[in-house]
Amino acid sequence: MSKLLVKSWCGQGEQLVYLFGDAERDGYVASSTGGRTLVPHVVTGEAVRVAASERNDRAPMSELAGGNFVGDELVHDPGLWAWAQAGTPDATAVRFADQLAAGGQAARLAITSHRVAVVVDADSLVDPEPASEVPSSLLGKAKSVVQSVQQRSADGPPVTTCCEAELRSLRGVEPAPMGRGGMPVWFFGVHFADGSRLLCKHAKPAQLVETIRLNAR
């Protein structure tokens, strides 16, 4: 997937900095919106559709699914890999959560020198046709629900962008220690312009943040 992004997705002068995938992507997405936490996240907006074989239906621990937790205790579930936090359902982090949850293992979070995006290899799509665009009045909000980047060609399958935000529009990126007890669970945090946040589990988030800052354009 990394080679495909570099060859067919990154623009001129744009460098792929990091791609969340494979073992890192093996898990479910949670969300907290307006004080209500959903484990796992429930897709409410338009979202990418992928083949059943690409779906990741890894379930959270039964206690979490029943809402039997306080604060950020859910981060201790090995099955959690991403957590969207927002004040309203139309926030950017929720739109990212929609695409990551709907895309399953086929959906990857890509970070380049210019943007952060949810991408899918179009060969995984049930219907590769782009969906209607979602209007946006917030800088840095996801530009579209499903935007086709290029036509199928002999050079290889195209990459589909589910949603994206420019790095320069973000409030910032940061390492985020979460959980209870002496050993925190580390996440990489993306703060969008509308105040929402997407947390992705990562072993060395401080190193990733520094790499992004060094490569940002």
Side-chain angles (χ1 to χ4, degrees):
M1 185 61 165
S2 295
K3 293 181 179 179
L4 180 60
L5 290 175
V6 171
K7 182 178 181 179
S8 305
W9 183 72
C10 289
Q12 185 174 6
E14 182 178 15
Q15 295 180 315
L16 180 65
V17 176
Y18 196 80
L19 179 67
F20 283 84
D22 299 329
E24 289 177 326
R25 185 61 189 86
D26 182 20
Y28 66 88
V29 180
S31 64
S32 295
T33 306
R36 182 191 181 198
T37 298
L38 296 177
V39 184
H41 172 69
V42 176
V43 178
T44 58
E46 290 185 88
V48 67
R49 296 176 61 229
V50 299
S53 60
E54 299 289 352
R55 293 287 312 134
N56 180 1
D57 296 318
R58 185 170 180 177
M61 295 189 299
S62 58
E63 295 84 357
L64 296 178
N68 187 23
F69 60 91
V70 178
D72 61 1
E73 289 177 337
L74 71 159
V75 302
H76 295 288
D77 183 356
L80 173 74
W81 92 273
W83 185 8
Q85 300 174 334
T88 60
D90 62 345
T92 308
V94 179
R95 299 281 68 82
F96 270 68
D98 278 348
Q99 305 305 329
L100 290 170
Q105 289 289 86
R108 310 295 182 90
L109 186 70
I111 303 171
T112 76
S113 53
H114 292 64
R115 54 183 164 159
V116 56
V118 176
V119 295
V120 176
D121 184 325
D123 280 349
S124 300
L125 298 175
V126 172
D127 181 0
E129 291 300 319
S132 58
E133 293 191 354
V134 175
S136 171
S137 58
L138 294 172
L139 182 63
K141 193 165 183 176
K143 290 184 178 179
S144 65
V145 174
V146 179
Q147 176 187 1
S148 180
V149 176
Q150 66 176 53
Q151 299 295 324
R152 292 181 179 272
S153 68
D155 295 332
V159 175
T160 294
T161 304
C162 303
C163 52
E164 64 179 21
E166 295 182 357
L167 284 186
R168 62 185 178 184
S169 76
L170 302 178
R171 292 190 177 185
V173 293
E174 65 179 12
M178 308 289 289
R180 298 167 182 265
M183 296 294 291
V185 180
W186 285 97
F187 285 77
F188 166 74
V190 180
H191 287 253
F192 296 103
D194 59 7
S196 63
R197 181 168 74 156
L198 179 67
L199 299 171
C200 298
K201 193 175 290 183
H202 192 275
K204 298 180 180 179
Q207 180 177 317
L208 176 56
V209 167
E210 183 62 21
T211 300
I212 293 171
R213 288 174 176 166
L214 290 174
N215 288 275
R217 298 291 182 268

